[in-house]
Structures are given as structure tokens and as C-alpha cells.
Amino acid sequence: MSILESCLFISAGFLFLVLSLQNSNSLQYMINHKDFAREWIHVWNSHDLEAILSHYSEDIEITTPMISMATGGKESSLQGKQAVRDYWRKALEKFPDLHFELIQSTAGVDSVALFYKSIMDKQAVEVMFFNEEGKINKMYAHYD
């Protein structure tokens, strides 16, 4: 292999590496956590279940102490959009005056964390992880 061919090979490899890194991290630059937080709070306060679910992937997994409370400690996680839909439908029926107030949002790598005032005068932090399509595929909730 000539010096020119070697340089071209190394350059092509470097370009591939840069493009791969850009593609693997591209989602973190696409998500504006402040805009997302405002939208997320807005749709929850609208009580429009399908609008709420539009942020989540079909294979969503949520883990929250509220599930544990609702199931008498039998479960703390739900997986799949239909299971989450059923759970949130019941929650919206149980709390017809549900209203969240955003306190702060932060961004991570392919993730956001929202700190907000939740139901029953609790403060909550939800950490949400996004898939390649920009949908939440994993969420962990924390309450005071």
C-alpha cells in the first residue's frame, strides 16, 4: 500500500469514526429539554391520554413507586404501551384534578430529568431515556 493509499485509508476510517460518533450522540442535541418539559407538563395537564402516550415508544418501561402503591407492592414497573395506557387511564380517572407544575428540567445523554410538583402535594423527579426515534423508552420516577 502506498503512502497516499494509507493516508486515504486512515482519513476514511477517521471520517467513519466521526460520523458514527455524531450519529450515536445526535439525539442529545435534538432534544431541547426545556421545550420538551413544557410540552410534557402541558399534555399531562390536558389529561389527553393519547397525547401523553405520543411521547412514549411501544416498548416503554416505567418504574415508579406509584405503581408499587397501586398494586399493593406486587409490582413497581410496567412494560409496553398498552399496560402503561391502562395504568395511566386509571390514574387520570382517580385524580381528575391532576395538575403538574414544572420546577426544573435538565438534560443528559439521550435523556432528560424533570423536577415537578405532582399529585398529593408531592415533588417528583422523572428521568426519561429516549430511543433513536426520539420516543421515551424507559422512565424512572422518584417522589419525596
Side-chain angles (χ1 to χ4, degrees), residues 9-138:
F9 180 78
I10 292 169
S11 295
F14 180 75
L15 180 59
F16 175 78
L17 176 64
V18 168
L19 290 174
S20 296
L21 289 173
Q22 285 179 333
N23 287 338
S24 69
N25 291 324
S26 63
L27 187 59
Q28 69 178 319
Y29 301 110
M30 291 175 21
I31 298 171
N32 179 313
H33 69 92
K34 291 180 181 185
D35 290 343
F36 173 81
R38 281 190 291 273
E39 167 66 15
W40 188 89
I41 294 287
H42 172 75
V43 296
W44 268 102
N45 288 341
S46 77
H47 296 207
D48 181 341
L49 184 56
E50 292 310 310
I52 293 166
L53 287 165
S54 71
H55 291 114
Y56 298 86
S57 66
E58 289 298 321
D59 64 344
I60 178 63
E61 180 181 341
I62 65 171
T63 302
T64 166
M66 294 296 188
I67 294 172
S68 185
M69 225 168 54
T71 64
K74 295 177 188 167
E75 296 180 68
S76 60
S77 296
L78 292 174
Q79 184 143 12
K81 203 172 209 177
Q82 189 57 51
V84 171
R85 177 183 280 111
D86 294 342
Y87 170 72
W88 283 343
R89 180 180 296 116
K90 291 174 188 170
L92 288 169
E93 289 169 1
K94 184 175 181 175
F95 297 99
D97 59 342
L98 177 142
H99 182 80
F100 295 156
E101 293 178 30
L102 183 64
I103 298 169
Q104 183 69 41
S105 67
T106 58
V109 176
D110 298 339
S111 64
V112 298
L114 306 183
F115 177 36
Y116 62 96
K117 184 177 175 192
S118 184
I119 59 173
M120 301 182 298
D121 206 29
K122 291 186 173 288
Q123 291 187 340
V125 173
E126 289 198 24
V127 181
M128 303 170 199
F129 298 89
F130 295 85
N131 66 15
E132 308 80 41
E133 288 85 40
K135 300 287 185 179
I136 301 163
N137 64 352
K138 193 169 289 223

